[in-house]
Amino acid sequence: MKSLRIAIASIVFAAAALLASSAPAQTKGNATLSGKVVDDKGQPVADAAVTALMVGQSDPLTARTDKKGEWKIKNLSEGQWRLEISKEGLETNRQVVEIRNDKVPPVNVTLAKEAAKVDPTVEINLAVAHAAELAQAGKIPEARKIYEDLLVKYPTVYQLEGLIARTYAVENNSAKALEHLNLALEKDPTNVDLKILQADLMMEAGDKAGAKAILDAVDMKQVKDPFPFINAAIVTINQGKGDEAAESLTKLLAQFPTQPEIFYYRGRAYVVAKKFDEARVDLDKFISLAPAAKEAADAKRILDQLPKK
């Protein structure tokens, strides 16, 4: 029987989708980022745009270079900052700067003449495909590093936050997974796949009520994976709410009519609700669909203990 854990294969997003919140951190502090921008001939670049965005935040700080090519952004807190320096006609410089003890060396960069623009789709898709191969081989940190590097280079491709979240989910790090997943959902709040993953992670983190609220609001016709909903039903069954669990599993069954686990857990829900005839039908159906499943023995035991007609 399929595990109720998140499958590693789910790390891969469709290529088309790629191109198609966590609690706020403190961004005000005593540090200053500064530097100088020159072109490939060593001449100062005036009026270049400088953007600093603290990792995990959505509101960037900005500055522009003066006639000497110099710039400065004050009152920054410690942490990692994504820095982008750009000027029309010149290549954009992107990097991550670490501020520790309110100190950071000057960030001096050279912007070369911009080459002919290339569609990033090919690069992103090839990198994501390679990361998926690494993840399938169990090399989750290596796969995550690819996504993180892509995000530095293409910070507007927010779907990468969802991919990073999935790598943490595979490692059972719900807190870090939710941190990145919330960033992706800020940009795409109606994404059903992300919301279901969010609910699954919240369930693991202990926020069962919050997870259930998310799942209850999802359009079942858009659901591709039934297991987060089955997990939620199990919680409801364990709370003694048999009728409620059976109702949600019946809705799920309309989308996944041949999924054996749904019959098994709905049968258990009916037992809790003391609807023994319905429980008998579902448990028999489960055994016929998955006779070798580990839950089959339990289904037979429950059937033997049901009151006789």
Side-chain angles (χ1 to χ4, degrees), residues 242-268:
D243 283 326
E244 182 179 330
E247 181 180 356
S248 66
L249 288 169
T250 298
K251 294 178 181 177
L252 188 64
L253 197 60
Q255 180 72 356
F256 302 94
T258 61
Q259 189 73 44
E261 293 88 349
I262 300 175
F263 290 100
Y264 171 69
Y265 287 106
R266 193 173 67 169
R268 286 183 50 184

Side-chain angles (χ1 to χ4, degrees), residues 12 18 123-135 146-147 150:
V12 185
L18 270 175
E123 178 188 355
I124 292 175
N125 289 341
L126 287 174
V128 168
H130 179 49
E133 292 174 357
L134 290 172
I146 291 176
Y147 300 139
L150 282 173

